[in-house]
Amino acid sequence: MKATGVVRRIDELGRIVIPKEIRKTLRIKEGENLEIFIDEKENIVLKKYSTMNKIEDLAQNFVDAIYAYSKHNIIITDNDSVIAVAGKYKKKYLDKQISSFLEKILLERKQIIEKYNKKIKVIEDDELEGTYIINPIISNGDILGLVIFFDDDALMDDVDEQICQITANFLGKHLED
């Protein structure tokens, strides 16, 4: 664990204030939910809550199966980080924070199709060039993440577009109440 040097007192209602600098660094926005854990040493650990956490294993198994057919790299994100990857970028991207480029796409809630080579930033410190399709994962009207099909060698076609859309729809439906 990384020490921050910040000490806070618990008030009479059991509340603590997370400093603005830490909230900004971790992209914790007002109104977001935090999940509370107790580790093996009885430390209290706060983690940003994501509805997508419920389906990480399902998402990983699903994209592995689709990758076996399509051979395109597949990346699944929640609103903050990469939660599942199939293809050669798994070690590089899994559990990493998404780029501001992808955050903007989340806000726009739209599908993006690049059938010709174009640069894309999945994470802030890395840029890829290739063809890609990005679909939002929507459940109960809320955007919960993205499905990204990416290939640096092959072009995307209509079938890839449909599979990407089906993947996003499947994950979204799986999370509905």
Side-chain angles (χ1 to χ4, degrees):
M1 235 184 310
K2 195 176 356 177
T4 63
V6 176
V7 176
R8 290 287 193 246
R9 182 176 305 277
I10 296 176
D11 73 9
E12 65 277 354
L13 296 176
R15 298 177 295 198
I16 60 169
V17 174
I18 300 171
K20 185 176 184 176
E21 299 78 27
I22 292 175
R23 292 193 316 262
K24 185 176 179 182
T25 301
L26 298 178
R27 299 180 185 178
I28 299 171
K29 298 171 190 84
E30 184 179 325
E32 281 190 318
N33 294 316
L34 297 176
E35 197 166 3
I36 303 169
F37 296 93
I38 309 273
D39 70 9
E40 62 281 346
K41 294 181 181 178
E42 296 190 6
N43 294 312
I44 298 171
V45 179
L46 300 175
K47 183 178 178 188
K48 287 178 76 171
Y49 178 74
S50 168
T51 306
M52 295 288 284
N53 287 346
K54 296 179 192 175
I55 64 162
E56 280 185 19
D57 291 337
L58 172 72
Q60 186 61 59
N61 291 334
F62 197 71
V63 297
D64 285 341
I66 293 170
Y67 177 76
Y69 166 77
S70 75
K71 300 300 184 212
H72 295 305
N73 298 286
I74 307 168
I75 301 164
I76 308 290
T77 76
D78 62 13
N79 289 333
D80 296 303
S81 60
V82 175
I83 66 162
V85 181
K88 65 183 178 183
Y89 298 103
K90 188 170 191 167
K91 287 184 180 180
K92 192 175 195 176
Y93 290 161
L94 193 59
D95 297 324
K96 297 284 184 359
Q97 196 169 45
I98 64 171
S99 68
S100 55
F101 172 75
L102 292 184
E103 285 180 339
K104 183 179 176 203
I105 293 171
L106 283 164
L107 292 173
E108 293 172 355
R109 303 171 63 106
K110 65 180 182 179
Q111 180 188 56
I112 294 179
I113 303 168
E114 292 296 343
K115 292 190 177 185
Y116 302 101
N117 281 3
K118 189 170 181 180
K119 292 182 180 180
I120 179 176
K121 275 190 170 189
V122 175
I123 60 174
E124 237 16 274
D125 299 334
D126 190 59
E127 191 170 65
L128 300 172
E129 186 168 347
T131 60
Y132 56 89
I133 302 168
I134 302 174
N135 270 295
I137 300 168
I138 299 174
S139 180
N140 295 323
D142 296 325
I143 187 154
L144 302 177
L146 299 169
V147 175
I148 304 166
F149 274 41
F150 174 81
D151 206 303
D152 45 10
D153 295 325
L155 298 177
M156 298 287 168
D157 60 23
D158 292 341
V159 173
D160 297 319
E161 185 180 334
Q162 290 172 343
I163 294 171
C164 189
Q165 182 68 49
I166 289 167
T167 303
N169 289 344
F170 173 80
L171 295 172
K173 293 278 185 208
H174 196 77
L175 290 165
E176 285 183 356
D177 298 334

